[in-house]
Amino acid sequence: MSEPKPKKVYFYGTCLVDLFFPDAGMAGIQLLRQAGVDVVFPEGQTCCGQPAFNCGYWEEARDVARNQVALFPQDLPVILPSGSCAGMMKVHYPELFHGQPDEAKVKAFSARVYELTQFLVDVLDVKLKDLGAPVKVTWHSSCHAVRDLGLKGEPQALIGQLANVELAPLAREHECCGFGGTFSVRQPEISGAMSCDKAADAEATGASVVLSTDGGCLLNVNGTLEAKQSPLRVQHIAEFLWERTHAR
Amino acid sequence: MHAEHEVLFRDSAAKALLDPQLRANFRRAMDGLITKRRNQFPDPRDLQDLRDLSTTIRSRSLLGLPELLEQFEVNCTKNGIKVHWAETCEQANELILSILRAKNAKTLVKGKSMVSEEMHLNAFLEANGIEALESDLGEYIIQLDGETPSHIIMPAIHKNKDQIARQFSQKIKDAKYTEDVDELTAMARRVLRQKFLDADAGLSGVNFAVAETGTLCLVENEGNGRMSTHVPPLHIAVMGLEKVVATLEDVAPLYAILTRSATGQAVSTYFNMITGPRGEGEKDGPQEVHLVILDNGRSRIYADPQLRATLRCIRCGACMNHCPVYTRVGGHAYEAVYPGPIGKILTPQMEGVGVRHDLIHGSSLCGACGEVCPVEIPIPEILVRLRREATHDDEGSNVAGRGTGRTATEDWAWRLWAGVLKRPALYRLAAWFATRFGKALPAGAPLIKNWTRSRTKPVPARRSLSERMRAEGGKHV
Amino acid sequence: MSEPRTDTHTDARTAILGRLRAADGAGPLPVPDTAVLERRQWPAAERMVRLRKGMEAVHTEFLEATPATWPAVVRAFCDGAGLKNLLYGPTSEAGKALAAAWAPGGTQLMPYDRPVEAFKHELFTGVDAGFTGTVGGVAETGGLLLMPGPDEPRLMSLVPPVHIALLKASTIHDTFWSAVKALGWGRSLPPNALLISGPSKTADIEQTLAYGVHGPKRLIVVLVDDLA
């Protein structure tokens, strides 16, 4: 890395991690600290505003987003354990605030946003040491991590550093799992069909855990696997990496 | 209220999802098309450069559209092609009927044209005593069953061989039952050759219109397009007004990316450039060529700088081939002429965003469509924009049916949502309740009921991340 | 305009163009970068190989010939295939050369010398093959460029079940784009011009390829090596 590595970063938990996957949030923070970075977790975090933005309620989305941007005043990287929320803040905030008086301020914020694995690999260039027992996992790439943020194999690279972990390829890896936020409840039949197919593809890999970087995908795939009483479970990649590299 | 329309797509899709044959037919076909397209673009840089070039050409053409259309009309007219303009499908249908009647034409043989589907031309002509026969094999197959196309490039893709074999044996005279594709094709050839020979007129769409030379370009594999446009004495072409580009040099890269994106072919069997009726000394070709330029809402789409990108579309169908929703429900579920992602942005803009609220929300916004679009139409962004238009009546907006999908319930829900999330103290309280009592929410509660159709109820953690970080202390600002 | 226009027409045209003009967005035109097309270049001998490979992949058949032997090659193919007749253009350059070398017996040469109306039924039912020249080829994807016209009517390459096309290797261009530029097709075009890459085909039944659906079932390219 030619640029000096940052000494201090902000961490944005996201609402789904806050409420459903707090262990993943904690793990993300620990991974950053393990890499020698000081982590600041500002009070007052709620939601990035994506649900309202995607449904066309932009004033409401802006109201929420504006408050969140204000929590990160210093010129530090903002790290999110979510491809979708990072995509919202990095790519869609500039659209949402286009023509607003605080557009420039928001754009400057957006430029500092990173998804966690992207930051660990591309900026921190972390090296992981596997302390866990042999296990087979599969990777579900979230649509927004790949298509909004342009992730190009960072999570797989991190998994690849773990000596005892076998990564089984997931058929149609880049196909949506069917979550899509409000889509999952507005179009439950189609969303359910997509989720069931994703769960079946995951089961076919023979892996014992499905990893992902997105709370929405995790919630959806996990609920579907549970409903079909599959032994397979999901885990946020941050939590998995922390467990593998941290002696308990 | 939009309740009735909101469920149109959802209901049809739900029915389609219960048909295992249909789902298998689409999944197999789409997987095959995805692979074939990928094989055509081995070098990602070449693909991106070709997409950029194609996007630039289409954007440029749209920027100068009124001037290009006028230049195109002048040159067509010079070449002997008679140009007609139609604001609506009704006008276009009437124009075509009057052209046919002037030549006393009773039978029309058709090459594939999605614009003619948009016009529901066949039904209109039949009602006026003129036989309109589809000659593209896929279109012919679905016309035999009185169906509409389920895909813009492969109209009969929802059917398998056995279904077609049964249909041919019942509906084609003297046909025996066979599942051999070559024999089935030969049957259609026998029937349709006679039709080409006897037809009073032929009709085609237009893939690209060239302003500089006044040329209509047609892309096809079967030869039925050439038959329809060269054998009968009268040729009528129909096109959407967005199809025009400046020169044939501009067409070349668009053609290259069209066939590769559509069917994974490096080139189609035929690329037919028609620049006039039978010329001086020519022994064949139609004596008359007419062209109908259709608006049907396109000029309204054109007026909006962001939505204008919709008109860049070259109708390759790659967005539907790669769409996880389309792959599962097929084209008919959309209850629209144009299915799939492009249909989800085009149909509501033509018919009204309020009445087709169902379509714009029938997407997970996964972005697969935008990723493969050869002219980089930002379909997910346009979907989000149309969702906004459906529920808001913004000043300066020109979108058909804007604001008509608004409901008090949804308005209230988003206001409440923002009210809580912009006040951290309220969120903290709500999160506290969710983590302590979320488990107690009944699985039959609204929204949760839809979620739990195929999933277990999500249960919040016992303590939120924020709570744990507060407890950790010291690391806060 | 060639005929008086109805009021509806004038109204529609005016209204449509008016709406398009009223839209803003007149800005600097983006400049196309054609480097991706310019990169597609091959030496002449390789162009011949590429064209052949591309076209053979879609069931086009090739016969090798030289500037001196091609009429005999065409003749041998026709006799070998047992063709009853071969439709040709008696006033075209290739047609004249073919007729001059055609000995009596075997496949009959049949001139396309009348308006189609005079023999439409026979054309559809009684002709075994059509012979045309080409104005060039496309190496990148494989393809023939044809300019039908008074000397070589449009239906010769479409209606008979076999189409035999004469292609000189020296006329093969890199891409369709470079061919359009070289042939001046960007500035003017005859009433009909064509690119043909193979025999008629369809995949409309269960994505299964079938050849000869409406147009020719076989496309035979007589490839004349005139590069030396």
Side-chain angles (χ1 to χ4, degrees), chain B residues 206-230:
Chain B
V206 176
N207 289 100
F208 306 104
V210 184
E212 179 78 25
T213 49
T215 301
L216 314 175
C217 301
L218 269 75
V219 179
E220 60 154 339
N221 285 319
E222 295 186 0
N224 68 305
R226 290 179 67 200
M227 287 280 190
S228 304
T229 57
H230 293 325

PDB file of all heavy atoms in Angstrom, chain B residues 206-230:
ATOM      1  N   VAL B 206     -38.495  -2.209 -37.275  1.00  0.00           N
ATOM      2  CA  VAL B 206     -37.237  -1.600 -37.675  1.00  0.00           C
ATOM      3  C   VAL B 206     -36.300  -1.691 -36.479  1.00  0.00           C
ATOM      4  O   VAL B 206     -36.661  -1.270 -35.385  1.00  0.00           O
ATOM      5  CB  VAL B 206     -37.434  -0.105 -38.052  1.00  0.00           C
ATOM      6  CG1 VAL B 206     -36.102   0.552 -38.386  1.00  0.00           C
ATOM      7  CG2 VAL B 206     -38.411   0.045 -39.219  1.00  0.00           C
ATOM      8  N   ASN B 207     -35.114  -2.267 -36.673  1.00  0.00           N
ATOM      9  CA  ASN B 207     -34.163  -2.313 -35.563  1.00  0.00           C
ATOM     10  C   ASN B 207     -33.385  -1.010 -35.439  1.00  0.00           C
ATOM     11  O   ASN B 207     -33.168  -0.513 -34.344  1.00  0.00           O
ATOM     12  CB  ASN B 207     -33.184  -3.482 -35.734  1.00  0.00           C
ATOM     13  CG  ASN B 207     -33.858  -4.815 -35.504  1.00  0.00           C
ATOM     14  OD1 ASN B 207     -34.219  -5.495 -36.462  1.00  0.00           O
ATOM     15  ND2 ASN B 207     -34.077  -5.172 -34.257  1.00  0.00           N
ATOM     16  N   PHE B 208     -32.956  -0.489 -36.585  1.00  0.00           N
ATOM     17  CA  PHE B 208     -32.258   0.794 -36.594  1.00  0.00           C
ATOM     18  C   PHE B 208     -32.709   1.558 -37.829  1.00  0.00           C
ATOM     19  O   PHE B 208     -32.849   0.981 -38.902  1.00  0.00           O
ATOM     20  CB  PHE B 208     -30.733   0.612 -36.676  1.00  0.00           C
ATOM     21  CG  PHE B 208     -30.179  -0.295 -35.615  1.00  0.00           C
ATOM     22  CD1 PHE B 208     -29.800  -1.598 -35.929  1.00  0.00           C
ATOM     23  CD2 PHE B 208     -30.045   0.132 -34.300  1.00  0.00           C
ATOM     24  CE1 PHE B 208     -29.300  -2.450 -34.961  1.00  0.00           C
ATOM     25  CE2 PHE B 208     -29.543  -0.717 -33.321  1.00  0.00           C
ATOM     26  CZ  PHE B 208     -29.169  -2.011 -33.644  1.00  0.00           C
ATOM     27  N   ALA B 209     -32.919   2.864 -37.673  1.00  0.00           N
ATOM     28  CA  ALA B 209     -33.255   3.720 -38.808  1.00  0.00           C
ATOM     29  C   ALA B 209     -32.093   4.691 -38.999  1.00  0.00           C
ATOM     30  O   ALA B 209     -31.612   5.271 -38.036  1.00  0.00           O
ATOM     31  CB  ALA B 209     -34.535   4.484 -38.510  1.00  0.00           C
ATOM     32  N   VAL B 210     -31.640   4.836 -40.238  1.00  0.00           N
ATOM     33  CA  VAL B 210     -30.458   5.657 -40.505  1.00  0.00           C
ATOM     34  C   VAL B 210     -30.864   6.957 -41.189  1.00  0.00           C
ATOM     35  O   VAL B 210     -31.426   6.947 -42.293  1.00  0.00           O
ATOM     36  CB  VAL B 210     -29.457   4.892 -41.396  1.00  0.00           C
ATOM     37  CG1 VAL B 210     -28.184   5.712 -41.575  1.00  0.00           C
ATOM     38  CG2 VAL B 210     -29.134   3.528 -40.799  1.00  0.00           C
ATOM     39  N   ALA B 211     -30.562   8.078 -40.535  1.00  0.00           N
ATOM     40  CA  ALA B 211     -30.990   9.381 -41.043  1.00  0.00           C
ATOM     41  C   ALA B 211     -30.245   9.777 -42.317  1.00  0.00           C
ATOM     42  O   ALA B 211     -30.845  10.236 -43.289  1.00  0.00           O
ATOM     43  CB  ALA B 211     -30.778  10.448 -39.970  1.00  0.00           C
ATOM     44  N   GLU B 212     -28.937   9.579 -42.325  1.00  0.00           N
ATOM     45  CA  GLU B 212     -28.082  10.035 -43.427  1.00  0.00           C
ATOM     46  C   GLU B 212     -28.487   9.445 -44.778  1.00  0.00           C
ATOM     47  O   GLU B 212     -28.420  10.116 -45.800  1.00  0.00           O
ATOM     48  CB  GLU B 212     -26.629   9.649 -43.105  1.00  0.00           C
ATOM     49  CG  GLU B 212     -25.597  10.021 -44.142  1.00  0.00           C
ATOM     50  CD  GLU B 212     -25.216  11.494 -44.106  1.00  0.00           C
ATOM     51  OE1 GLU B 212     -25.359  12.117 -43.037  1.00  0.00           O
ATOM     52  OE2 GLU B 212     -24.786  12.006 -45.167  1.00  0.00           O
ATOM     53  N   THR B 213     -28.911   8.179 -44.767  1.00  0.00           N
ATOM     54  CA  THR B 213     -29.219   7.510 -46.027  1.00  0.00           C
ATOM     55  C   THR B 213     -30.697   7.170 -46.180  1.00  0.00           C
ATOM     56  O   THR B 213     -31.107   6.697 -47.233  1.00  0.00           O
ATOM     57  CB  THR B 213     -28.414   6.195 -46.135  1.00  0.00           C
ATOM     58  OG1 THR B 213     -28.579   5.460 -44.921  1.00  0.00           O
ATOM     59  CG2 THR B 213     -26.937   6.468 -46.349  1.00  0.00           C
ATOM     60  N   GLY B 214     -31.493   7.375 -45.139  1.00  0.00           N
ATOM     61  CA  GLY B 214     -32.913   7.010 -45.209  1.00  0.00           C
ATOM     62  C   GLY B 214     -33.091   5.509 -45.318  1.00  0.00           C
ATOM     63  O   GLY B 214     -33.781   5.008 -46.199  1.00  0.00           O
ATOM     64  N   THR B 215     -32.431   4.792 -44.403  1.00  0.00           N
ATOM     65  CA  THR B 215     -32.391   3.322 -44.478  1.00  0.00           C
ATOM     66  C   THR B 215     -33.061   2.684 -43.264  1.00  0.00           C
ATOM     67  O   THR B 215     -32.909   3.175 -42.144  1.00  0.00           O
ATOM     68  CB  THR B 215     -30.922   2.851 -44.538  1.00  0.00           C
ATOM     69  OG1 THR B 215     -30.313   3.437 -45.687  1.00  0.00           O
ATOM     70  CG2 THR B 215     -30.804   1.331 -44.625  1.00  0.00           C
ATOM     71  N   LEU B 216     -33.782   1.574 -43.508  1.00  0.00           N
ATOM     72  CA  LEU B 216     -34.376   0.782 -42.438  1.00  0.00           C
ATOM     73  C   LEU B 216     -33.532  -0.478 -42.285  1.00  0.00           C
ATOM     74  O   LEU B 216     -33.347  -1.216 -43.251  1.00  0.00           O
ATOM     75  CB  LEU B 216     -35.812   0.374 -42.785  1.00  0.00           C
ATOM     76  CG  LEU B 216     -36.720   1.462 -43.355  1.00  0.00           C
ATOM     77  CD1 LEU B 216     -38.069   0.855 -43.769  1.00  0.00           C
ATOM     78  CD2 LEU B 216     -36.925   2.568 -42.335  1.00  0.00           C
ATOM     79  N   CYS B 217     -33.005  -0.742 -41.067  1.00  0.00           N
ATOM     80  CA  CYS B 217     -32.181  -1.930 -40.852  1.00  0.00           C
ATOM     81  C   CYS B 217     -32.972  -2.966 -40.066  1.00  0.00           C
ATOM     82  O   CYS B 217     -33.575  -2.648 -39.049  1.00  0.00           O
ATOM     83  CB  CYS B 217     -30.922  -1.577 -40.074  1.00  0.00           C
ATOM     84  SG  CYS B 217     -29.914  -0.345 -40.890  1.00  0.00           S
ATOM     85  N   LEU B 218     -32.912  -4.207 -40.550  1.00  0.00           N
ATOM     86  CA  LEU B 218     -33.617  -5.307 -39.889  1.00  0.00           C
ATOM     87  C   LEU B 218     -32.646  -6.428 -39.551  1.00  0.00           C
ATOM     88  O   LEU B 218     -31.893  -6.875 -40.406  1.00  0.00           O
ATOM     89  CB  LEU B 218     -34.703  -5.863 -40.824  1.00  0.00           C
ATOM     90  CG  LEU B 218     -36.094  -5.242 -40.724  1.00  0.00           C
ATOM     91  CD1 LEU B 218     -36.114  -3.884 -41.378  1.00  0.00           C
ATOM     92  CD2 LEU B 218     -37.105  -6.143 -41.392  1.00  0.00           C
ATOM     93  N   VAL B 219     -32.710  -6.872 -38.321  1.00  0.00           N
ATOM     94  CA  VAL B 219     -31.832  -7.929 -37.828  1.00  0.00           C
ATOM     95  C   VAL B 219     -32.643  -9.201 -37.651  1.00  0.00           C
ATOM     96  O   VAL B 219     -33.681  -9.174 -36.986  1.00  0.00           O
ATOM     97  CB  VAL B 219     -31.223  -7.527 -36.464  1.00  0.00           C
ATOM     98  CG1 VAL B 219     -30.326  -8.635 -35.918  1.00  0.00           C
ATOM     99  CG2 VAL B 219     -30.464  -6.216 -36.582  1.00  0.00           C
ATOM    100  N   GLU B 220     -32.196 -10.287 -38.242  1.00  0.00           N
ATOM    101  CA  GLU B 220     -32.950 -11.543 -38.087  1.00  0.00           C
ATOM    102  C   GLU B 220     -32.103 -12.748 -38.459  1.00  0.00           C
ATOM    103  O   GLU B 220     -31.059 -12.621 -39.103  1.00  0.00           O
ATOM    104  CB  GLU B 220     -34.210 -11.512 -38.957  1.00  0.00           C
ATOM    105  CG  GLU B 220     -33.869 -11.340 -40.438  1.00  0.00           C
ATOM    106  CD  GLU B 220     -34.924 -11.902 -41.383  1.00  0.00           C
ATOM    107  OE1 GLU B 220     -35.720 -12.753 -40.947  1.00  0.00           O
ATOM    108  OE2 GLU B 220     -34.932 -11.493 -42.555  1.00  0.00           O
ATOM    109  N   ASN B 221     -32.600 -13.920 -38.063  1.00  0.00           N
ATOM    110  CA  ASN B 221     -31.921 -15.183 -38.371  1.00  0.00           C
ATOM    111  C   ASN B 221     -32.691 -16.042 -39.359  1.00  0.00           C
ATOM    112  O   ASN B 221     -32.119 -16.886 -40.033  1.00  0.00           O
ATOM    113  CB  ASN B 221     -31.753 -16.018 -37.092  1.00  0.00           C
ATOM    114  CG  ASN B 221     -30.665 -15.464 -36.202  1.00  0.00           C
ATOM    115  OD1 ASN B 221     -29.611 -15.045 -36.686  1.00  0.00           O
ATOM    116  ND2 ASN B 221     -30.933 -15.435 -34.915  1.00  0.00           N
ATOM    117  N   GLU B 222     -34.005 -15.881 -39.384  1.00  0.00           N
ATOM    118  CA  GLU B 222     -34.834 -16.858 -40.087  1.00  0.00           C
ATOM    119  C   GLU B 222     -34.994 -16.580 -41.580  1.00  0.00           C
ATOM    120  O   GLU B 222     -35.138 -17.496 -42.372  1.00  0.00           O
ATOM    121  CB  GLU B 222     -36.221 -16.921 -39.436  1.00  0.00           C
ATOM    122  CG  GLU B 222     -36.172 -17.445 -38.012  1.00  0.00           C
ATOM    123  CD  GLU B 222     -37.553 -17.656 -37.420  1.00  0.00           C
ATOM    124  OE1 GLU B 222     -38.563 -17.406 -38.110  1.00  0.00           O
ATOM    125  OE2 GLU B 222     -37.612 -18.076 -36.250  1.00  0.00           O
ATOM    126  N   GLY B 223     -35.005 -15.295 -41.950  1.00  0.00           N
ATOM    127  CA  GLY B 223     -35.271 -14.957 -43.340  1.00  0.00           C
ATOM    128  C   GLY B 223     -36.716 -14.565 -43.564  1.00  0.00           C
ATOM    129  O   GLY B 223     -37.090 -14.120 -44.649  1.00  0.00           O
ATOM    130  N   ASN B 224     -37.543 -14.714 -42.538  1.00  0.00           N
ATOM    131  CA  ASN B 224     -38.945 -14.326 -42.702  1.00  0.00           C
ATOM    132  C   ASN B 224     -39.086 -12.813 -42.814  1.00  0.00           C
ATOM    133  O   ASN B 224     -40.007 -12.320 -43.467  1.00  0.00           O
ATOM    134  CB  ASN B 224     -39.782 -14.847 -41.528  1.00  0.00           C
ATOM    135  CG  ASN B 224     -39.428 -14.146 -40.233  1.00  0.00           C
ATOM    136  OD1 ASN B 224     -38.261 -14.139 -39.840  1.00  0.00           O
ATOM    137  ND2 ASN B 224     -40.400 -13.528 -39.593  1.00  0.00           N
ATOM    138  N   GLY B 225     -38.154 -12.090 -42.199  1.00  0.00           N
ATOM    139  CA  GLY B 225     -38.164 -10.638 -42.322  1.00  0.00           C
ATOM    140  C   GLY B 225     -37.877 -10.231 -43.760  1.00  0.00           C
ATOM    141  O   GLY B 225     -38.553  -9.363 -44.329  1.00  0.00           O
ATOM    142  N   ARG B 226     -36.900 -10.891 -44.379  1.00  0.00           N
ATOM    143  CA  ARG B 226     -36.607 -10.588 -45.789  1.00  0.00           C
ATOM    144  C   ARG B 226     -37.781 -11.001 -46.662  1.00  0.00           C
ATOM    145  O   ARG B 226     -38.142 -10.300 -47.605  1.00  0.00           O
ATOM    146  CB  ARG B 226     -35.325 -11.326 -46.227  1.00  0.00           C
ATOM    147  CG  ARG B 226     -34.055 -10.771 -45.590  1.00  0.00           C
ATOM    148  CD  ARG B 226     -32.831 -11.551 -46.052  1.00  0.00           C
ATOM    149  NE  ARG B 226     -32.564 -11.363 -47.481  1.00  0.00           N
ATOM    150  CZ  ARG B 226     -31.825 -12.204 -48.218  1.00  0.00           C
ATOM    151  NH1 ARG B 226     -31.301 -13.286 -47.653  1.00  0.00           N
ATOM    152  NH2 ARG B 226     -31.624 -11.952 -49.497  1.00  0.00           N
ATOM    153  N   MET B 227     -38.358 -12.151 -46.369  1.00  0.00           N
ATOM    154  CA  MET B 227     -39.521 -12.605 -47.141  1.00  0.00           C
ATOM    155  C   MET B 227     -40.653 -11.569 -47.052  1.00  0.00           C
ATOM    156  O   MET B 227     -41.246 -11.193 -48.067  1.00  0.00           O
ATOM    157  CB  MET B 227     -40.034 -13.938 -46.584  1.00  0.00           C
ATOM    158  CG  MET B 227     -39.136 -15.117 -46.900  1.00  0.00           C
ATOM    159  SD  MET B 227     -39.425 -15.704 -48.586  1.00  0.00           S
ATOM    160  CE  MET B 227     -38.492 -17.229 -48.556  1.00  0.00           C
ATOM    161  N   SER B 228     -40.939 -11.120 -45.836  1.00  0.00           N
ATOM    162  CA  SER B 228     -42.058 -10.196 -45.625  1.00  0.00           C
ATOM    163  C   SER B 228     -41.811  -8.839 -46.284  1.00  0.00           C
ATOM    164  O   SER B 228     -42.746  -8.168 -46.708  1.00  0.00           O
ATOM    165  CB  SER B 228     -42.303  -9.976 -44.128  1.00  0.00           C
ATOM    166  OG  SER B 228     -42.515 -11.201 -43.478  1.00  0.00           O
ATOM    167  N   THR B 229     -40.537  -8.458 -46.356  1.00  0.00           N
ATOM    168  CA  THR B 229     -40.249  -7.119 -46.881  1.00  0.00           C
ATOM    169  C   THR B 229     -39.890  -7.115 -48.370  1.00  0.00           C
ATOM    170  O   THR B 229     -39.886  -6.066 -48.989  1.00  0.00           O
ATOM    171  CB  THR B 229     -39.080  -6.474 -46.104  1.00  0.00           C
ATOM    172  OG1 THR B 229     -37.937  -7.341 -46.192  1.00  0.00           O
ATOM    173  CG2 THR B 229     -39.434  -6.278 -44.648  1.00  0.00           C
ATOM    174  N   HIS B 230     -39.561  -8.276 -48.937  1.00  0.00           N
ATOM    175  CA  HIS B 230     -39.138  -8.306 -50.350  1.00  0.00           C
ATOM    176  C   HIS B 230     -40.090  -9.037 -51.289  1.00  0.00           C
ATOM    177  O   HIS B 230     -40.070  -8.798 -52.490  1.00  0.00           O
ATOM    178  CB  HIS B 230     -37.750  -8.965 -50.477  1.00  0.00           C
ATOM    179  CG  HIS B 230     -36.655  -8.163 -49.866  1.00  0.00           C
ATOM    180  ND1 HIS B 230     -36.636  -6.792 -49.878  1.00  0.00           N
ATOM    181  CD2 HIS B 230     -35.524  -8.540 -49.225  1.00  0.00           C
ATOM    182  CE1 HIS B 230     -35.544  -6.364 -49.263  1.00  0.00           C
ATOM    183  NE2 HIS B 230     -34.854  -7.406 -48.844  1.00  0.00           N
TER     184      HIS B 230
END
